[in-house]
Structure formats: structure tokens, C-alpha cells
Amino acid sequence: MAPSGSRRRTLLLAAAALAALATTAAGVASAQSAQASPRETVAAIDPSLVAGRGAQLGIVEQEAENAATDGTILPFDTSAYTLSGEASGRQAAKLAPSQYVAFTLTRPANAMTIRYAIPDAPAGGGIDAPLTVSVDNHADGHGNMHPQTITLTSKYSYLYNLYPFTNDPTAGVLHPDWWITECSCVPAATTPPPTVSIPFRPMRFYDEQRILLDKTYRAGDVVRVTVPADTNAAWTVIDLADFQNVEGPAPQPPDSVSVTAFGADRRGIRDSADAFDRAILAAKLSDKKVYIPAGTFQVNRHIILDDVTVEGSGSWWSIVRGHQVTLDSPAPDGSVHTGVGFYGKYAADGGSRNAHLSNFAIEGDVRERIDTDQVNGIGGALSDSTIDGLYIQHTKVGIWLDGPMDNVTVENTVIADQIADGINFHQGVTNSRVVNSLIRNTGDDAMAMWSQGVGGQPGIEDASNTFDHNTVQSPVLANGIAVYGGRDNTVSNNIVADPVREGSGLHAGQRFGSTLFAGYLRFTNNTTVRAGSFELNWKIGLGAIWIYALEGSLTANIEATGDNFLQNTYNAIMIVSDFPVKDQYSISNVHFKDVHVDGTGTSVLSARSAGSATFENVDARNVGAVGINNCGSFNFTPAGSEFTVTDLGGNDGGGTTGPWLASWELPNTITCDDRPAVVPPPPPSGW
């Protein structure tokens, strides 16, 4: 096990050929019949398997691989750098010109979101390509929508190179002084060296687009997406469609001022940032709300919030959209760009309070990751504040809150297609929560609590926070939900599916300069699906839940109770200390209770640390390898492993090798297989 390093993101690239993206892999399933039955899913599995968990937003998911199509179905594959690996459910429908996918509605809908991928431009930067949307005739003629052609784009997709990435597939190594691994994609170590035709391997292929239909269609109507014959895209991949029945625009509240009354342009032609500022000032002076009516408003900088409510007519109707703007000189916060965003004052400036945002969309124009840039959808410090019913797309981070700050609630919000994190509670965020929200296609942790120290100063704890009833899908890099240090935090009732590389579904990491874990950390009643990616540095598979000691021991009370780990690519549970500190740090006081494990590529538990854990009523089936892969601290002492497993009873089931928790494995038998063979687990089913 090689060291992973301690900087914020060690991003490593695994072997795969760019050419594989543009060709159909061997063993691709044949085209589906046009008579495919409609099928609703949640995170690409039967909704009954995640009942009571995840976000409830009126979104009905249908996966393209389950729909009628004359295209080809990409094979199931969890590998990074592949179209399958980044797809929801690890499959999608690949269309050539003139081919289609047809979704049969299961409920009334007047709006849809299409998640798709198209090729990049040869020199990077993306292309645009058409897609036609129509509704086929219903038996009584109800269906029948005149086709509309929308424009897909790959301008917000395709990142190359090593961290922090670039849109240029032929750029040299960005930081040659950093530790570089995976020589097969590093120009200086590649034969032949990368050129326009042999670039760095790409990642982050998918984007999504929302479409309002011309009316509400009913169950049984067929929504068809067709690639025009004259498209300029060699292929178009459709991953899924989300269907909704969206209410019309909400009227202006009587106790509000409209941004249009202060000069905001609802056509989006003129920059309306100053008009928003004037409306906010007037609202505060008159103790009223700010209203954003239906329309598209161009805003190319931060709108500063403090003691004000900003309310739209609905996230499908009120759209605040901005360009990324290069600054003449770096800002005091280190930004070299600005862009659309709603920000509280920074904590160093006193922070903001009593700010409330609801029912509008924030759409940015961020195409490259620059960590010093404050080009997030929402930022700053916002105490005693709420964020409700937003849609945030194409910013760097959807919501990045820098504490100290207290009592913020994020709810009923969709965050999609971010270059970095979806939501990050950063340094001293307390008594706050994220509930009933959907976060999809992030370029870093989808949701995180990070108690980081800054500028050599000790970290400030994130404490007493909750992430509850959220749905996380397809984070391209890092984890679904991650907690770095902090005290008394809870992650509950969430669904996390399909992390792609360098991360797990659920993660507790003593790393990135975080405070030591203290009090408790609870993972309660969560479901992970197809979680646990391949760690490209260590070259081992991670667990669906990953507990990691890099910068200190974990001794706080960590509880995983009522969680379901489904179709785990590798291990269900990974407990590990980094190799250079394996004899210095340990992980103990970890407790698993009332857990279901359905399918593992390798073991239920992979222990690669000194320490201990208890297990009670952990039921497992379809286990691909020995139940416990106990390597301890790799000292292989005569007394056994340095990691001790305590059986508290009720731990049933297993796989072909017998019970997953066998008496001979207890308490610390060495069963170490550093890189066990992987047995692909079957899809999950009812327990």
C-alpha cells in the first residue's frame, strides 16, 4: 500500500485508452425492443429497496438502459475514465445519428431533465450538438407534441491532466514538482508522448439539461429523444431522464419588491447585478422581500446578502445566469475570476445573518477548476439562514460555506454538474443541516463537512450538523458524503450511488488538516449503491464506507447503524491507516449494528489498520471473498493482527467461502490478501 499524500486532493489517473470512449466495447448488449416496459428507478435500482431514504422532490427517474431504444446499451462497467463508469447505474444508451431512446411516462409530467454525454472538440473546449424531443401519439391522440430541437453541449464536460485539471488535452504536466503517479498518462513517461491524437485521458463526460414540455402529458405517453441525422456529434449517450410535473410560476408576494422594478432585464441581455443590489437595498429599507419573476437574468458577479429574503417564482422559471469574468488583478480572497453567486459576508468581515433564498436557479459558466476562485453558487458565512428550492448548475461548488457560522438549513435543492464539491460545510459550521436535496455529477465530494485549519491555525470544529434524506449520484471524484474531523455530526437516511474514483459512498477521514474527531459521528439508515471505487494510488478497492487515518488516530465514537450497502464494487467496509503512519495511528471505537450487506466484490470488512470494531446484527450475502480481510498494520505478528473484531451476535450470512464473520476469524486472525480477486456482485434485491 503506497502513501496517498496529505494535500487536499491527490488525483491520480488509471490506465484506459481515450479511443475506447469513441468505440463500442466488446460485449455491448443488443438494441432493446421498442416495446420495453416503463420502469421507474431511484439511483438505478427498484425504489422499494430505498423506501423512506433519499430526497423526495417529485422527480421520477427512468434509466435509458431500461427504455426502448434502437441504440446500443453500454456494458456494465465501474472503471474510471469510461462512459459506463460515470453513468448512473454504470450503464447508458449510446446513439448514432438517427437513433433514439423512448421513455414511457409512468406519471403526469410537463418537464424533463436529460443527462447525456457527447464528444469533446479535438483540441478541447467542447462542442454543441442537436437533440430532438417529441411526444409520440397516444392511442387517443393525447400525446403528439410537435418536435423541438434542443442544443446539447460538452463545454462543461471533459477534464484532462492531473489535479487541478485542465480543458486542454495536450497540456503538459501542470505541476511537475508534485508527486506524479500513473506514468501511463504522464507525457514525459508515455511512449509515444501525448499529441492532439494521443492526449491525457479525459474524465467528467456527462452534463444535464432541463426541458419544459409544451403541456402536461399523462402516464402512457411516450417521450422520445432522437439524434438528428445531420448531427455533428459522432455519438450521443443518454444516461437517464428525470420527469416532473412542474407548477406554473408563483406570483409576486404582496410584501415584496421585484428586481425588474429596479432595472433587471428578464431577457438576460443586460447585466442585472446592479439592479439586484438596488432591489436588495430597497427591500431592507422597507422590510420587504426581493422577488425574482419568471425570466432569465444575467448576473456576472457576487450578490451580497445580509438580513434579506430573495424569492423566485420557481427554479424552472426564475433563472439567474452568469458568465465567468476574469479579474484585472486577484481579489483579496485569491480569486482570479468572478461569476454569478449569492454570498454572505465572510466570517472575517462579520458574516451575514437572516438571509433566505428560495425558488430560483443559479446557472454559472465555470469550465475549469481553480481552487483559489470564489465562483460558487452560494458562499460566505450565512448564520440563521435558509436555502430552499434552488437549482444550481455549472458553478465551481454549489454551496461552499466558510465559518464560523451557525444555523443554516439547505433543503429541497438540486445541485448538478459542479467542477468541485456539491456542498461543503467548511470550518466551524455548527447546528446546520442539508435535507431533502439531490446532488449529482460533482467533481469532488458531493457533500462534505470539513473542519479544516487554515493558514497554520488550528481547525475550527464543524459540530452538531446533519445531512439527512438526500440523494447523491455519480460524484466523478472523491466521496458521496464525507466528514473530515468535527464533533457530534450525523449522516442519516441518505442514498449515495456510483462514486467513480478516489472515493467511497460514505467517508470519515482524519485528513486534510482537519480537527480530530470528537464526540460522535453517526452514519444512520443510509443506503449506498455500487459504491467503493478503485484507489488508483494504492491500487486496491475502497469500501462503500471508508474510515481513514492519515493525520491522527480516530478514537471518537463512530456508529454505523441501520445502513444498507448494496452491490458493493469491492468491500462494504474499509478501515485503513495510510502506510507511512500505520504504526503511529489507529482506528478504534467503531461500531456497526443492524446493517445489511448485499453483494461485495471482495470482503465485507477490509481492515488495514491497528484498532478495533464491533459488529452486531450485520447480515451479509453474495460475499465475493473471505468475510474479513484482516491485514492489521501489516506487521503480521505472532499474536495476530493489530486489528480486533468483536462479535456482539446476530452477524449472519456470507458467501461461497462460508459465514462472513466466522469464529476462526475472531478476534484478530490474520487473513490478509492485499489485492484479492474481485467477483462482480449481482444487482441488489429485496431482503
Side-chain angles (χ1 to χ4, degrees):
M1 183 170 68
S4 71
S6 59
R7 57 188 174 79
R8 170 67 177 123
R9 282 286 174 264
T10 303
L11 302 175
L12 311 165
L13 305 164
L18 175 63
L21 293 172
T23 60
T24 302
V28 171
S30 60
Q32 291 185 333
S33 163
Q35 302 302 314
S37 299
R39 180 180 170 193
E40 294 182 14
T41 56
V42 174
I45 62 173
D46 190 310
S48 66
L49 300 178
V50 291
R53 301 182 180 186
Q56 300 295 320
L57 294 167
I59 294 172
V60 179
E61 174 190 278
Q62 290 198 39
E63 293 282 340
E65 62 267 26
N66 300 330
T69 181
D70 60 352
T72 54
I73 305 303
L74 296 178
F76 183 91
D77 189 352
T78 62
S79 303
Y81 308 103
T82 65
L83 287 162
S84 294
E86 291 191 17
S88 171
R90 315 292 192 168
Q91 288 187 281
K94 187 175 184 180
L95 308 181
S98 300
Q99 292 184 324
Y100 71 90
V101 176
F103 300 94
T104 300
L105 295 179
T106 58
R107 309 185 197 187
N110 61 8
M112 67 183 298
T113 299
I114 297 175
R115 187 169 192 254
Y116 67 89
I118 59 175
D120 195 6
I127 65 170
D128 294 336
L131 186 72
T132 299
V133 180
S134 62
V135 181
D136 290 351
N137 286 331
H138 194 271
D140 61 3
H142 175 268
N144 196 19
M145 182 183 88
H146 189 274
Q148 61 170 301
T149 299
I150 63 173
T151 301
L152 307 181
T153 187
S154 54
K155 292 178 180 177
Y156 299 100
S157 307
Y158 289 91
L159 293 178
Y160 303 86
N161 217 294
L162 307 179
Y163 175 86
F165 312 118
T166 174
N167 300 124
D168 182 358
T170 62
V173 176
L174 301 176
H175 296 280
D177 55 320
W178 289 4
W179 178 37
I180 295 173
T181 64
E182 250 204 298
C183 293
S184 59
C185 79
V186 176
T190 303
T191 303
T195 64
V196 171
S197 61
I198 311 175
F200 276 95
R201 287 188 306 280
M203 64 174 188
R204 199 171 179 274
F205 309 118
Y206 288 89
D207 201 32
E208 67 180 49
Q209 186 168 152
R210 303 192 300 171
I211 305 157
L212 283 167
L213 307 177
D214 61 337
K215 62 182 179 182
T216 298
Y217 292 90
R218 66 191 188 190
D221 290 338
V222 179
V223 180
R224 181 183 297 257
V225 295
T226 305
V227 179
D230 60 352
T231 180
N232 57 310
W235 47 264
T236 300
V237 171
I238 304 299
D239 180 26
L240 59 77
D242 286 337
F243 293 98
Q244 293 176 257
N245 202 18
V246 178
E247 295 182 357
Q252 181 175 349
D255 58 341
S256 67
V257 298
S258 174
V259 294
T260 56
F262 296 87
D265 176 14
R266 70 171 73 206
R267 302 166 300 168
I269 298 173
R270 291 181 287 103
D271 189 308
S272 296
D274 290 347
F276 273 63
D277 287 345
R278 291 191 292 269
I280 287 171
L281 179 59
K284 293 175 69 172
L285 291 174
S286 59
D287 196 25
K288 294 182 177 180
K289 301 175 181 178
V290 174
Y291 175 66
I292 307 173
T296 298
F297 299 87
Q298 182 185 157
V299 171
N300 300 318
R301 61 169 172 81
H302 297 173
I303 302 299
I304 305 303
L305 306 166
D306 189 19
D307 192 25
V308 67
T309 295
V310 180
E311 182 176 308
S313 63
S315 69
W316 283 82
W317 306 105
S318 302
I319 299 169
V320 183
R321 179 179 295 160
H323 303 294
Q324 182 169 285
V325 177
T326 302
L327 300 174
D328 293 334
S329 59
D333 61 18
S335 297
V336 294
H337 299 93
T338 190
V340 62
F342 289 78
Y343 273 62
K345 294 182 290 185
Y346 293 128
D349 299 321
S352 292
R353 311 189 80 83
N354 195 33
H356 305 281
L357 305 176
S358 63
N359 299 324
F360 63 93
I362 303 170
E363 297 182 0
D365 188 31
V366 178
R367 309 182 190 188
E368 195 163 9
R369 178 168 177 164
I370 300 174
D371 280 349
T372 56
D373 272 354
Q374 283 284 350
V375 286
N376 306 319
I378 297 174
L382 292 168
S383 292
D384 301 321
S385 298
T386 58
I387 298 162
D388 185 5
L390 299 195
Y391 176 83
I392 306 175
Q393 185 187 32
H394 294 153
T395 55
K396 186 182 79 173
V397 175
I399 301 173
W400 182 287
L401 298 176
D402 287 302
M405 53 167 284
D406 184 72
N407 187 30
V408 66
T409 295
V410 180
E411 58 188 337
N412 309 317
T413 288
V414 176
I415 298 174
D417 304 323
Q418 301 297 307
I419 287 286
D421 300 48
I423 297 175
N424 196 307
F425 284 180
H426 180 230
Q427 196 184 42
V429 178
T430 56
N431 300 302
S432 297
R433 62 195 191 119
V434 180
V435 297
N436 201 49
S437 295
L438 168 64
I439 301 96
R440 182 161 61 205
N441 195 36
T442 58
D444 213 306
D445 294 326
M447 304 178 70
M449 305 181 201
W450 185 17
S451 303
Q452 185 201 21
V454 177
Q457 299 299 312
I460 304 174
E461 289 180 327
D462 283 351
S464 302
N465 300 314
T466 300
F467 290 165
D468 182 72
H469 278 96
N470 303 291
T471 298
V472 170
Q473 291 179 282
S474 302
V476 176
L477 181 73
N479 304 282
I481 301 177
V483 182
Y484 304 111
R487 177 187 298 271
D488 297 343
N489 294 304
T490 300
V491 176
S492 55
N493 299 296
N494 303 286
I495 301 168
V496 182
D498 299 316
V500 177
R501 47 173 288 213
E502 312 306 315
S504 294
L506 305 173
H507 179 54
Q510 194 65 67
R511 57 198 301 212
F512 304 138
S514 69
T515 64
L516 293 175
F517 284 94
Y520 62 78
L521 172 61
R522 293 175 178 153
F523 295 102
T524 306
N525 296 334
N526 303 284
T527 296
T528 68
V529 189
R530 298 172 299 273
S533 62
F534 190 70
E535 216 295 339
L536 298 167
N537 181 16
W538 295 340
K539 292 183 171 50
I540 59 173
L542 300 176
I545 183 170
W546 173 26
I547 302 172
Y548 180 34
L550 175 64
E551 298 170 359
S553 295
L554 280 79
T555 60
N557 186 29
I558 298 178
E559 302 172 3
T561 305
D563 299 304
N564 294 337
F565 303 125
L566 309 181
Q567 200 176 354
N568 306 282
T569 307
Y570 299 99
N571 313 284
I573 302 163
M574 166 75 81
I575 298 176
V576 56
S577 297
D578 202 28
F579 202 81
V581 296
K582 66 182 180 64
D583 297 321
Q584 184 177 353
Y585 301 136
S586 63
I587 299 171
S588 58
N589 203 15
V590 181
H591 309 282
F592 294 88
K593 183 178 180 180
D594 300 333
V595 169
H596 284 157
V597 175
D598 188 357
T600 66
T602 55
S603 300
V604 173
L605 167 65
S606 180
R608 307 168 72 91
S609 171
S612 62
T614 68
F615 295 84
E616 181 178 3
N617 296 330
V618 176
D619 292 343
R621 65 188 182 193
N622 300 313
V623 178
V626 64
I628 301 175
N629 184 26
N630 195 338
C631 297
S633 295
F634 289 86
N635 293 306
F636 307 121
T637 71
S641 168
E642 300 90 344
F643 191 87
T644 298
V645 172
T646 300
D647 180 0
L648 297 182
N651 299 297
D652 300 322
T656 57
T657 63
W660 83 265
L661 202 164
S663 59
W664 61 266
E665 294 174 307
L666 301 173
N668 64 332
T669 302
I670 297 171
T671 55
C672 187
D673 185 347
D674 194 37
R675 290 171 177 82
V678 178
V679 178
S685 59
W687 203 263

